[in-house]
Amino acid sequence: MHFSDPPRRRRKPSLTPMIDVVFLLLVFFMLASRFGTEAVLELPLAGGGGSYSGPPRLVGIGAKNLDLNGVPIAETHLGEALAPLMAKPEDLVILRGRDAADVQRIIDITTLLRAVGYSNVVLVE
């Protein structure tokens, strides 16, 4: 006589642990992501038909250096160096990125110019 166990029915894998993991990942990414508006730098669009007047005001923005009309200058002295070149604070200041300056660096310089009262900037390539 041969005794054998009755054949077992195969159990299906439970989907509950997988669903738990998916929901945990969903909650994690929802909490880790940022909602809302980032700080926005408002620049007026060109085409207003304004004209440039006065002496040259070209600010060269490098990855680590800054120059005004080709003369190296420290960031802290940029406002003071621009003052004699400006007839009024609404005059245009031309910004030019150099030496692979990243966008954040250009935004930092633009914010610095706004802080000292110069709001009209033009970014050239």
Side-chain angles (χ1 to χ4, degrees):
M1 264 196 187
H2 182 22
F3 294 106
S4 65
D5 293 333
R8 287 185 168 186
R9 292 178 49 190
R10 277 187 90 177
R11 289 181 49 189
K12 292 183 180 179
S14 175
L15 293 179
T16 305
M18 185 178 72
I19 293 171
D20 290 344
V21 168
V22 168
F23 279 114
L24 284 173
L25 286 172
L26 178 68
V27 169
F28 171 76
F29 285 113
M30 284 178 62
L31 293 175
S33 65
R34 294 187 208 178
F35 293 106
T37 311
E38 296 290 325
V40 177
L41 180 66
E42 297 177 17
L43 292 175
L45 296 176
S51 61
Y52 185 91
S53 63
R57 298 176 293 270
L58 177 63
V59 178
I61 303 171
K64 301 214 185 253
N65 56 359
L66 189 68
D67 63 74
L68 176 61
N69 296 331
V71 178
I73 190 168
E75 288 182 32
T76 55
H77 297 99
L78 182 60
E80 298 167 3
L82 277 171
L85 303 174
M86 308 283 279
K88 55 188 183 281
E90 295 82 28
D91 285 344
L92 288 176
V93 177
I94 301 172
L95 304 178
R96 180 175 180 214
R98 299 182 187 181
D99 304 329
D102 58 353
V103 175
Q104 185 60 50
R105 174 91 167 128
I106 294 171
I107 289 173
D108 291 342
I109 298 301
T110 305
T111 305
L112 177 91
L113 288 171
R114 282 184 182 227
V116 295
Y118 304 124
S119 57
N120 289 335
V121 296
V122 175
L123 181 63
V124 296
E125 190 174 333

